[in-house]
Amino acid sequence: MKILFQGDSVTDAGRTENSLGFGYPSIIAKELPEIYPDIEFQFYNRGISGNRSIDLVNRWQTDTLDISPDILTILIGVNDCWHYAEGTAEYVTNEEFENNLRKLITDAKSKSNPKIILIEPYVFEYQHNHFRGDLLEKIEVIRKVSMELADYLIPLDGLIFAARTSEKNVEFSSDGVHPSPEGHELIAMYIMDAICDIIDSQNNEK
C-alpha cells in the first residue's frame, strides 16, 4: 500500500531523498506497520517548504501521479495567504485556490483513484492576525471541496485550537505555523485515525 504525504513545510519537516524527515510523515511511517504488520507499506513524503497550491499543481505529475498512491494526504494553503501578507507573492483568490484544489484531487482520482484525506491548514491568531482572516476563507474552500471530492477531512485548525485550550502547558508551534514535536505528534494522531478507518473499511469489504 502506497501512502503519499503532500504539502508545504509542515509536511516537508526536513525530509531528504532518503528520509521522510522529522515530522508527522515519519511518525506515521513508524507506527502504522506496527498496527498492520501484514500490510506492506510504501511511504512517500513530497512536501516542499514554501509551496502554495499552485506549486503542487505544477509538480503534481512527477510528485503524485507518477507515484500512483493508494492513500493521499494533502495539507496546503497557509502559504497561499502568508506569502501575500508578507509581500512576496500575488494574492491568491478563493476561486483560484478552489480551482487548484479541484485539479489536484480530480487528476489524482483519474490516475490511481486514491483515498483522499484533506487537511485544513492552521495558524495561531496572536502571531499571525495579519492573514488569519484570509486563511479562514481558504479553510472554508477546503471544506466545500472536501464535501464533493475528498474521502476524509481533518479540521486541523479547530483541532489544534482545542488542544491548545485543554493542554495549555504544551507548545504545539513556536511560530504559530510550523509544528513542534508535540504538534507533529498531534497531527500524526489525527491522520493515523483517518488512515486506519480507510484500511479497516477496505478489510471489512473483503
Side-chain angles (χ1 to χ4, degrees), residues 37-95:
D38 295 332
I39 298 178
E40 183 177 342
F41 291 102
Q42 293 176 272
F43 297 97
Y44 302 83
N45 182 351
R46 292 296 184 269
I48 295 182
S49 181
N51 265 197
R52 299 179 297 158
S53 57
I54 188 60
D55 297 306
L56 263 64
V57 170
N58 291 337
R59 63 182 178 84
W60 207 236
Q61 181 65 52
T62 56
D63 283 358
T64 298
L65 303 185
D66 288 352
I67 295 174
S68 296
D70 299 295
I71 298 176
L72 170 62
T73 77
I74 305 173
L75 172 51
I76 199 70
V78 69
N79 290 324
D80 289 73
C81 307
W82 198 359
H83 289 189
Y84 171 71
E86 297 295 327
T88 59
E90 294 183 356
Y91 177 66
V92 179
T93 68
N94 293 336
E95 181 179 5

Side-chain angles (χ1 to χ4, degrees), residues 12-33:
D12 182 328
R15 74 172 179 92
T16 65
E17 186 174 341
N18 301 312
S19 166
L20 293 172
F22 56 80
Y24 71 83
S26 64
I27 296 171
I28 294 171
K30 178 181 178 181
E31 296 183 0
L32 200 61

Side-chain angles (χ1 to χ4, degrees), residues 107-157:
D107 284 0
K109 283 187 172 291
S110 67
K111 178 63 165 60
S112 62
N113 196 30
K115 294 295 184 181
I116 304 290
I117 301 173
L118 273 183
I119 307 164
E120 291 179 1
Y122 66 90
V123 65
F124 296 170
E125 81 290 348
Y126 64 90
Q127 288 165 297
H128 297 290
N129 267 326
H130 59 309
F131 69 86
R132 177 155 177 78
D134 187 20
L135 186 70
L136 288 175
E137 293 184 7
K138 300 299 188 285
I139 288 174
E140 287 300 318
V141 170
I142 291 171
R143 292 176 179 177
K144 174 185 176 183
V145 172
S146 72
M147 289 289 291
E148 299 178 36
L149 299 175
D151 298 285
Y152 281 82
L153 172 68
I154 297 177
L156 192 57
D157 186 64

